[in-house]
Amino acid sequence: MRNALGGKNMIEFKDNLYRINPQVQLYSDVQQFESLVGRAQKCNSQTERRTLLRQAAELYQGEYVNDIDMAWADIRRSELRAQYVAVLAALGEIEFAKQNHVEALALYERAIALDTFQDTFHLQKLKCLAAMGNLNAARQYYLAYTEMLQSELHVAPGSELQEFYENL
């Protein structure tokens, strides 16, 4: 097992237990992702924040250990997905503010794919479409979203979303 993990020093036996040697440097994309997200949250520079969020978004490669069906994995998977969706939303806000509406739209669509019923993302998508001059597409999208909410959850979109649609 030691050889499979990269050498004799990787595993140590101490207090009648085997463990990974704490002196060994390990790389974890999850730790890197969370570090980038944390640094971005504390960052005052919008340019640096954007860079950190982009790096975090690139690291996220899908569901965390999706082949493990255990409670601890489900919880961790959910936490990481929520962080990733927050990264997409934050990047969407930045790109929209920079008037990069096509990029912002793509980010919100990725967020919607992971959090389908979050009105905020649908509102931001409508705002992107409207800012790009695609008012008909925005109206059609709103109607399709409204229909989906009605058929699946038996609810209407939130008031802010409805108000935006009415002012299109």
Side-chain angles (χ1 to χ4, degrees), residues 4 8 13 17 19-20 26 35 38 51-52 60 63 65 67 74 84 95 97 104 116 121 127 133-134 152 158-159:
K8 295 177 185 177
F13 184 75
L17 297 171
R19 68 180 188 169
I20 295 177
L26 298 175
S35 172
T51 299
L52 293 167
Y60 190 89
E63 296 292 308
V65 292
D67 56 338
D74 291 340
Y84 176 61
E95 296 304 332
T116 307
F121 301 144
K127 288 181 179 181
N134 295 336
E152 294 192 28
S159 60

Side-chain angles (χ1 to χ4, degrees), residues 13 18 20 23 29 39 43 86 99 107 123 129 164:
F13 184 75
Y18 285 97
I20 295 177
Q23 302 299 316
D29 58 348
R39 288 172 46 205
C43 189
Q99 297 186 357
L107 290 160
L123 175 60
L129 290 169
F164 185 82

